[in-house]
């Protein structure tokens, strides 16, 4: 389990409208992302960048990766802390700012997990487990902007 882990994806541009990239408005930003053994993901650029808003864009995927990585790390932290999680939802958001030169960067991501635990005695440990999850999250440890957490912990109805 320790060591290096390699990942691969096949990215295929499918947006040639017959004239290739003859002009900025002459091609579609459609992309298909494929990983062997997994369903293809249809992607594009974000709508402000002439993309298809019905497809996933890189910004969506980065935000989703941060949210999912925290979720999976958090569930593991809860198991180790003896916390029984019976529900988890996250309404995450991210802020990306353009730099005026054609580029830009994310400034921050805020994760807002709403965790449901089995018993009221688990509330404090469930809240504390977010710090451990942050330390374990590979994706959050790979970005150069803050990933903040605003968790809520509730107790399941009996």
């Amino acid at each position: 389990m320790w060591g290096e882990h390699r990942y691969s994806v096949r990215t295929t541009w499918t947006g040639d409208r017959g004239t290739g990239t003859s002009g900025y408005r002459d091609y579609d930003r459609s992309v298909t992302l494929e990983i062997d053994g997994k369903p293809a993901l249809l992607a594009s650029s974000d709508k402000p960048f002439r993309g298809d808003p019905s497809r996933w864009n890189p910004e969506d995927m980065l935000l989703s990766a941060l949210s999912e990585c925290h979720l999976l790390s958090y569930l593991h932290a809860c198991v180790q802390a003896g916390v029984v999680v019976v529900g988890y939802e996250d309404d995450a958001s991210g802020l990306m700012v353009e730099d005026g030169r054609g580029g830009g960067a994310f400034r921050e991501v805020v994760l807002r997990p709403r965790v449901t635990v089995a018993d009221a005695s688990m509330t404090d440990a469930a809240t504390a487990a977010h710090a451990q999850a942050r330390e374990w999250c590979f994706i959050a440890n790979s970005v150069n902007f803050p990933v903040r957490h605003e968790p809520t912990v509730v107790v399941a109805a009996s």
Side-chain angles (χ1 to χ4, degrees):
M1 184 118 174
W2 298 98
E4 293 182 356
H5 303 270
R6 298 192 185 275
Y7 301 90
S8 60
V9 63
R10 182 175 309 106
T11 304
T12 306
W13 173 53
T14 57
D16 182 1
R17 295 179 181 154
T19 60
T21 58
S22 58
Y24 184 71
R25 298 177 188 276
D26 297 338
Y27 63 95
D28 194 75
R29 275 60 176 177
S30 295
V31 174
T32 301
L33 303 171
E34 297 171 286
I35 295 174
D36 289 339
K38 297 180 182 183
L41 180 65
L42 301 180
S44 183
S45 61
D46 197 10
K47 185 178 180 180
F49 309 109
R50 305 195 54 78
D52 181 344
S54 71
R55 292 178 172 226
W56 287 78
N57 63 59
E59 296 82 11
D60 293 335
M61 289 187 272
L62 178 60
L63 181 60
S64 298
L66 286 162
S67 178
E68 181 183 359
C69 188
H70 183 80
L71 161 70
L72 296 171
S73 299
Y74 178 78
L75 295 177
H76 180 69
C78 284
V79 167
Q80 289 197 332
V83 174
V84 178
V85 175
V86 297
Y88 185 112
E89 294 178 352
D90 182 12
D91 291 315
S93 63
L95 172 65
M96 185 189 74
V97 178
E98 292 182 68
D99 64 12
R101 299 182 316 256
F106 270 81
R107 293 291 185 244
E108 77 168 353
V109 162
V110 180
L111 305 179
R112 294 179 186 85
R114 179 179 161 84
V115 178
T116 305
V117 296
D119 186 84
S121 65
M122 300 173 178
T123 303
D124 290 342
T127 300
H130 286 285
Q132 181 64 65
R134 171 58 180 93
E135 288 182 31
W136 287 342
C137 178
F138 302 130
I139 308 301
N141 288 324
S142 300
V143 299
N144 65 353
F145 54 84
V147 179
R148 294 190 301 111
H149 305 90
E150 297 176 357
T152 303
V153 177
V154 298
V155 179
S158 313

